[in-house]
């Protein structure tokens, strides 16, 4: 029995030599001195010994326990010292900090915010409307007749016979006018959908609509506003021209071009040799549109305009393929931090 105690003790000493952390040390303590530890268990066998043997073995167990406890607490002290020392060594205050991961807005969102900021600084407030829209708001109330090509299945995503994914942000004009009385001065950014996909078209893209209704607004107000906006967004010397055009919901209607910033107007691939790039659709609100929402066209006039955000972003950054925006390639997106 005494031999056994000796063996246990030397086994424990060996383990103590090797242990290098506090958790390991505690494991040793439990495996020898704990409730089911080697020395505790041996103490329980005392009853089976002869009365002469009992005190000798008991004494030896107690001594062994005391010795081990002492060694463990000594070891604990040294371990505590070395670990705290090494952790101060690890704390090098001169090391550069870790750079936190930083995300950024998508370039489309950045340009959308920038354009909205310009218009809100000019007194416009931001409105919104649903992307899944009734035929009435997307077409009918905007004076787009049933036989108009824009209604063609080729362009419009139909959800059902009279529900579509909006093909432009213009339905927000109608929804806003139905809810409010003039004067009103709103811009309405949002996603729009057309069944189209190539280097300059994606099935989903973003527009910003503008609408200003008041008494005595004329085409010159529209012209002045858009020139101011375009020169603020691109550059103060940007050339702007208005070309007669057609939209069912405006009369007169215009398309707005800016002088090509790639070639300075001499003609290149981007402006297809014309020196001009189309950036906006606009016009005076059609009297029929006013009647459709219960406004009196004899009392009120207004102008409206619409622009594509992908287009503005392409022109700002010289991006030549619209599909890049939606591939989520991190190498592309990281350039807009
Ligand atoms: N909704 C037109 C389009 O998507 C743009 C536009 C808006 C034109 C407002 C005139 C007035 O092409």
């Amino acid at each position: 029995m005494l031999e056994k105690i000796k063996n246990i003790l030397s086994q424990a000493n060996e383990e103590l030599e090797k242990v290098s952390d506090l958790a390991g040390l505690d494991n040793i303590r439990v495996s020898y001195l704990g409730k089911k530890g080697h020395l505790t268990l041996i103490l329980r066998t005392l009853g089976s010994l002869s009365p002469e043997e009992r005190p000798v073995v008991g004494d030896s167990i107690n001594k062994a326990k005391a010795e081990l406890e002492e060694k463990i607490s000594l070891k604990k002290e040294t371990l505590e010292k070395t670990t705290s020392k090494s952790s101060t060594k690890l704390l090098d205050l001169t090391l550069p900090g870790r750079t936190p991961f930083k995300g950024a807005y998508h370039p489309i969102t950045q340009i959308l915010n920038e354009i909205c900021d310009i218009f809100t600084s000019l007194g416009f407030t931001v409105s919104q409307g649903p992307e899944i829209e009734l035929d009435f708001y997307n077409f009918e109330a905007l004076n787009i007749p049933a036989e108009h090509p824009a209604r063609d299945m080729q362009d419009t995503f139909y959800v059902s016979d009279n529900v579509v994914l909006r093909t432009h942000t213009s339905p927000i004009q109608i929804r806003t006018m139905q809810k409010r009385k003039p004067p009103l001065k709103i811009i309405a950014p949002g996603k729009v959908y057309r069944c189209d996909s190539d280097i300059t078209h994606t099935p989903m893209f973003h527009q910003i609509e503008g609408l200003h209704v008041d008494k005595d607004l004329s085409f010159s107000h529209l012209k002045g506003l858009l020139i101011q906006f375009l020169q603020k967004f691109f550059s103060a010397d940007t050339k702007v021209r208005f070309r007669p055009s057609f939209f069912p919901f405006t009369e007169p209607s215009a398309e707005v071009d800016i002088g090509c910033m790639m070639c300075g107007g001499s003609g290149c691939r981007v402006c297809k040799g014309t020196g001009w790039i189309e950036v906006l659709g606009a016009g005076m609100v059609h009297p029929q549109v006013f009647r459709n929402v219960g406004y009196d066209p004899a009392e009120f006039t207004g102008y409206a305009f619409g622009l594509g955000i992908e287009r503005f972003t392409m022109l700002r950054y010289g991006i030549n393929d619209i599909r890049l925006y939606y591939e989520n390639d991190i190498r592309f997106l990281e350039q807009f931090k």
Side-chain angles (χ1 to χ4, degrees), residues 5-224:
I5 298 167
K6 235 190 190 169
N7 284 342
I8 292 175
L9 200 58
S10 71
Q11 171 80 31
N13 277 329
E14 234 171 77
E15 287 180 29
L16 277 177
E17 286 289 309
K18 283 187 221 149
V19 75
S20 61
D21 59 32
L22 290 167
L25 183 65
D26 202 52
N27 284 342
I28 297 175
R29 184 186 60 78
V30 171
S31 75
Y32 289 93
L33 304 170
K35 256 189 203 163
K36 286 180 183 160
H38 301 304
L39 286 174
T40 318
L41 288 181
I42 226 172
L43 203 56
R44 296 218 186 114
T45 64
L46 276 186
S48 62
L49 297 175
S50 68
E52 300 82 48
E53 275 179 310
R54 237 176 264 164
V56 186
V57 174
D59 189 45
S60 150
I61 294 173
N62 282 333
K63 273 191 187 139
K65 278 180 91 173
E67 186 184 329
L68 197 55
E69 271 164 16
E70 165 102 37
K71 279 190 173 151
I72 287 175
S73 77
L74 272 176
K75 184 82 185 181
K76 195 174 172 192
E77 258 175 55
T78 45
L79 279 182
E80 275 172 354
K81 264 188 217 150
T82 51
T83 45
S84 65
K85 229 192 246 159
S86 61
S87 64
T88 44
K89 232 192 256 162
L90 278 175
L91 196 66
D92 181 352
L93 296 176
T94 65
L95 281 174
R98 286 193 192 95
T99 321
F101 175 77
K102 214 164 129 201
Y105 283 121
H106 191 279
I108 295 294
T109 310
Q110 289 183 29
I111 296 298
L112 187 153
N113 288 339
E114 190 180 324
I115 295 175
C116 285
D117 283 349
I118 295 177
F119 282 109
T120 50
S121 79
L122 294 168
F124 288 79
T125 53
V126 177
S127 256
Q128 278 183 316
E131 288 170 32
I132 301 171
E133 187 56 283
L134 288 169
D135 177 283
F136 174 79
Y137 290 104
N138 197 80
F139 296 128
E140 195 73 41
L142 285 164
N143 206 27
I144 303 175
E147 63 281 3
H148 193 280
R151 289 205 182 191
D152 199 304
M153 295 288 247
Q154 311 273 295
D155 295 303
T156 307
F157 289 111
Y158 278 85
V159 176
S160 67
D161 273 352
N162 68 340
V163 180
V164 301
L165 298 186
R166 68 179 177 201
T167 58
H168 50 178
T169 41
S170 300
I172 305 173
Q173 289 189 33
I174 305 298
R175 288 183 172 272
T176 310
M177 288 193 283
Q178 273 187 345
K179 270 184 282 185
R180 293 168 48 186
K181 293 275 153 264
L184 49 91
K185 203 174 172 187
I186 58 134
I187 45 163
K191 292 184 166 70
V192 300
Y193 301 85
R194 286 180 203 175
C195 191
D196 212 347
S197 183
D198 60 35
I199 184 165
T200 50
H201 298 87
T202 46
M204 183 283 298
F205 60 103
H206 297 76
Q207 284 189 334
I208 296 182
E209 190 81 7
L211 173 69
H212 187 182
V213 183
D214 206 335
K215 288 178 179 164
D216 303 324
L217 284 175
S218 69
F219 200 91
S220 57
H221 290 104
L222 172 63
K223 252 186 115 172

